[in-house]
Amino acid sequence: MRTSQLYFSTLKEAPSEAELISHKLMLRAGLIKRLGSGLYTWMPLGLRVLRKVEAVIRDEMNKAGAQEMLMPAVQPAELWQETGRWDVFGPQMLKITDRHERQFCFGPTHEEVITDIARSELRSYKQLPVSFYQIQTKFRDEIRPRFGVMRAREFTMKDAYSFHANFESLQATYGAMYQSYSNVFARLGLKFRAVAADTGAIGGSGSHEFHVLADAGEDLLAYCPDSDYAANTELAEALAPAEPRRAPGEAMRDIDTPKQTTCEAVAALMDISMERTVKLLALMTSANELVIALLRGDHNLNEVKLGKVEGMADFRFASDEEIRAAFNCPPGFLGPVGIPAGVRVIADRTVAAMSDFVCGANKPKFHLAGVNFGRDLPEPNIVADIRNVVNGDASPDGKGTLEICRGIEVGHIFQLRTTYAEKMKCQFTDADGSLKTMEMGCYGIGVSRIVAAAIEQNHDERGIKYPAAIAPFTVAIVPMGYHRSETIKAAADALYAEFTAAGVDVLLDDRNERPGSMFADMELIGIPHRITIGEKGLAEGMVEYIARAGGEMKKIALTDVVRVLSEK
């Protein structure tokens, strides 16, 4: 394509509301235009990138045996009421009422719709397994849309669903989808990690997230550099200390802490490590039961893990009033010694292995030192993994230690099992003539989010550095004096025709602009390869080549350009 035929508009500065690098660069490069809060128009240049991402995804889904379809974006309330999600999905669901007062929603996801199709179309085990997918617009009414298309209200998603006669079949397809997702992100040229994840509101059993590694990521990931282990920190297991608890070596004693209300402040006052301190969290269950959780002072509570402990599914943190009523002590000085009778104590594995630790004294302005289980307080009622892992923790696979990094979630796959099929009576007739409930899998990719994630991972001070697979164009031809020199014009047009004939996605900058402006635009929009044609070089039969990813300018014979770049 020629720039004279392509509409694109670049900006020197990003609008003030843009925060992330990807948001700033997508606006500056003219890939998207803001329509409203969390709503963006994909401009021609941006849509080229989006379509290239879709093409790779579509190819891998087809190779995996999934069949493409397109379901309605607007869905009737009755389907969501069958699964019980109409009332529990939350305010993210945009609900609509038509002229007949019938309720619908703008689909945030399509489990109900596809299950309705399956129960009416798939009757026999002979039709299973089968997988369907679509690439379509979704809408989720984010409370605070931000970061451009990274967290928009309207977005493009690839969602796939599989149906099976048994769990073994589901596991096989789940494995195939896992591999397909790995292929997609590898082909897109992205650095990524597949991590074990919590199933969350979607439900089901097994689950993996696919994250593009980037500093701007909202998710914390734990991985082992020495093995394939990786998991979202919501799920990454913190192993119990390898060393058993040591016998008490100190007498319990009061420590005067008049202003010290945190483990950090107490440790500083006593000149000890925070690893020797224990903090108490006062919690309330849905049954209004007071429960105490104990963590080492430098560790943070993992609410997902704690929510899986028996009786803690819907816990909340106790209010200051509830704390004072139970302990007769203000927050900041709470500890497990002498707690009210009958209060359940859940200790993290690390705490359960501690001895001679420091904690609150349950009286204002005091802490206790030299505290030990079994001597100064009873053993915990429950010992469980309830904390976030940290750098240096032992890897659960026993092959090294964990490191923490940030990732942008771009894909998520689930073994839904029968979560939706049971509620919607999605059944089939098995070989023995009996009716059975279908097993189901769900596989999603945030298509539009991939575009932003790729920029977060691939950019510099001059703009976007797209991987070749998703760049809007592969090669840019920038002629110096296209409108002044017939020789330059003829050479540029001929090279453009040669690239086009070779099937290379090429952009010829035929604008009557200054060279610096043309170079800046080509770098900003992220074209991987640039060919510059000038009169001096052309007289020698040469052109200049530079890669957007970096490197020095090189001279290449005009007659060899297409061959050399095709090899690249």
Side-chain angles (χ1 to χ4, degrees):
M1 183 174 284
R2 298 169 183 268
T3 52
S4 58
Q5 301 169 327
L6 172 69
Y7 179 82
F8 77 105
S9 175
T10 58
L11 302 171
K12 289 186 177 180
E13 299 292 336
S16 58
E17 75 268 12
E19 299 175 66
L20 289 189
I21 289 294
S22 58
H23 191 192
K24 293 177 180 179
L25 290 176
M26 291 183 78
L27 289 170
R28 284 191 57 210
L31 304 183
I32 56 174
K33 297 291 182 185
R34 184 179 183 272
L35 176 64
S37 177
L39 303 172
Y40 290 88
T41 297
W42 286 84
M43 301 301 286
L45 198 64
L47 191 61
R48 291 182 67 91
V49 180
L50 191 69
R51 293 291 183 249
K52 289 192 174 185
V53 173
E54 289 178 4
V56 172
I57 294 171
R58 184 173 279 113
D59 184 53
E60 287 297 332
M61 286 297 100
N62 293 341
K63 287 178 179 177
Q67 301 174 64
E68 188 170 10
M69 64 193 309
L70 187 62
M71 292 175 273
V74 176
Q75 307 174 21
E78 289 83 359
L79 291 180
W80 288 77
Q81 289 163 350
E82 278 192 65
T83 61
R85 292 208 296 174
W86 182 256
D87 295 319
V88 301
F89 198 88
Q92 279 193 332
M93 181 187 287
L94 180 63
K95 296 180 179 179
I96 309 165
T97 302
D98 70 5
R99 68 179 69 190
H100 303 293
E101 299 301 316
R102 292 176 298 211
Q103 287 188 299
F104 296 83
C105 68
F106 195 120
T109 183
H110 276 72
E111 283 82 11
E112 280 81 0
V113 176
I114 193 67
T115 306
D116 180 60
I117 293 171
R119 68 182 174 183
S120 62
E121 297 290 329
L122 306 176
R123 303 294 179 82
S124 169
Y125 73 97
K126 295 179 180 179
Q127 296 172 282
L128 302 174
V130 65
S131 300
F132 303 105
Y133 77 96
Q134 65 172 350
I135 298 176
Q136 196 233 42
T137 300
K138 299 284 193 294
F139 189 96
R140 295 180 186 175
D141 198 2
E142 294 279 355
I143 189 171
R144 185 174 167 240
R146 60 196 188 278
F147 308 149
V149 300
M150 191 77 80
R151 191 169 288 281
R153 293 196 293 169
E154 184 179 284
F155 55 94
T156 302
M157 180 178 177
K158 187 286 300 179
D159 46 321
Y161 308 90
S162 62
F163 296 88
H164 308 269
N166 51 58
F167 182 47
E168 291 72 25
S169 174
L170 168 57
Q171 288 179 305
T173 296
Y174 186 87
M177 285 293 181
Y178 183 101
Q179 184 59 54
S180 292
Y181 273 44
S182 299
N183 295 344
V184 165
F185 300 120
R187 285 179 59 180
L188 293 177
L190 301 173
K191 296 176 183 177
F192 71 97
R193 273 276 185 170
V195 301
D198 186 71
T199 55
I202 297 295
S205 54
S207 172
H208 284 84
E209 294 173 352
F210 290 78
H211 289 260
V212 169
L213 305 184
D215 292 338
E218 293 183 290
D219 292 292
L220 280 175
L221 313 177
Y223 72 98
C224 179
D226 302 317
S227 71
D228 293 332
Y229 179 83
N232 193 297
T233 52
E234 291 181 344
L235 199 64
E237 182 183 8
L239 298 179
E243 297 294 324
R245 183 200 298 165
R246 289 180 298 180
E250 302 177 13
M252 186 172 70
R253 60 197 183 278
D254 283 342
I255 303 294
D256 189 8
T257 54
K259 297 180 180 179
Q260 289 73 22
T261 59
T262 66
C263 289
E264 185 177 13
V266 172
L269 176 71
M270 297 181 63
D271 193 25
I272 61 173
S273 165
M274 282 182 66
E275 294 179 3
R276 292 187 57 191
T277 66
V278 169
K279 57 188 172 186
L280 180 151
L281 302 177
L283 312 167
M284 302 297 292
T285 68
S286 57
N288 234 27
E289 172 199 5
L290 175 67
V291 175
I292 285 172
L294 301 178
L295 292 168
R296 200 172 76 182
D298 59 332
H299 287 161
N300 291 320
L301 177 70
N302 185 310
E303 295 186 29
V304 172
K305 292 180 181 179
L306 180 59
K308 294 179 179 178
V309 174
E310 185 178 357
M312 300 301 294
D314 298 305
F315 80 89
R316 62 176 174 84
F317 292 95
S319 66
D320 284 1
E321 292 75 16
E322 289 169 328
I323 288 173
R324 290 177 185 272
F327 293 88
N328 193 28
C329 177
F333 302 97
L334 304 181
V337 178
I339 60 171
V343 174
R344 193 156 52 119
V345 177
I346 303 172
D348 180 67
R349 290 169 172 173
T350 305
V351 171
M354 293 174 67
S355 59
D356 296 328
F357 56 83
V358 175
C359 63
N362 286 330
K363 58 183 177 179
K365 302 182 179 182
F366 281 93
H367 280 71
L368 294 173
V371 179
N372 288 271
F373 288 109
R375 185 191 72 182
D376 308 314
L377 73 165
E379 295 291 342
N381 300 100
I382 298 174
V383 175
D385 172 22
I386 58 171
R387 70 172 175 91
N388 288 331
V389 293
V390 295
N391 279 318
D393 276 340
S395 178
D397 63 3
K399 296 181 180 179
T401 57
L402 296 177
E403 292 186 13
I404 310 298
C405 67
R406 289 199 169 272
I408 300 169
E409 184 187 339
V410 290
H412 204 158
I413 59 177
F414 301 86
Q415 294 177 17
L416 292 178
R417 302 296 308 269
T418 59
T419 301
Y420 296 89
E422 285 182 352
K423 292 176 180 178
M424 297 184 68
K425 295 181 173 57
C426 184
Q427 298 176 319
F428 69 98
T429 302
D430 206 356
D432 60 4
S434 62
L435 276 179
K436 291 185 178 177
T437 301
M438 293 185 202
E439 296 271 357
M440 186 175 169
C442 171
Y443 321 92
I445 289 181
V447 183
S448 46
R449 177 176 272 205
I450 285 175
V451 178
I455 295 172
E456 288 294 335
Q457 197 178 79
N458 299 277
H459 67 271
D460 60 17
E461 68 282 357
R462 299 190 301 276
I464 302 166
K465 297 196 299 184
Y466 273 125
I470 58 176
F473 297 93
T474 306
V475 177
I477 301 173
V478 183
M480 302 291 95
Y482 184 86
H483 293 273
R484 298 192 308 271
S485 169
E486 285 299 323
T487 303
I488 294 292
K489 183 177 185 299
D493 288 345
L495 187 59
Y496 172 73
E498 192 176 352
F499 270 121
T500 302
V504 176
D505 212 354
V506 60
L507 178 65
L508 171 59
D509 197 340
D510 59 353
R511 296 176 295 170
N512 192 13
E513 296 281 353
R514 293 178 295 104
S517 178
M518 292 193 289
F519 290 154
D521 280 347
M522 296 304 107
E523 290 180 329
L524 174 60
I525 66 178
I527 300 180
H529 307 281
R530 190 182 80 212
I531 300 294
T532 304
I533 303 177
E535 285 189 344
K536 184 177 179 181
L538 200 57
E540 301 171 352
M542 307 292 286
V543 296
E544 293 181 334
Y545 163 75
I546 190 168
R548 180 67 184 88
E552 297 180 356
M553 184 81 73
K554 297 179 181 179
K555 288 188 176 182
I556 301 176
L558 179 61
T559 54
D560 290 339
V561 172
V562 174
R563 178 186 59 80
V564 171
L565 264 68
S566 295
E567 291 174 356
K568 287 180 179 295

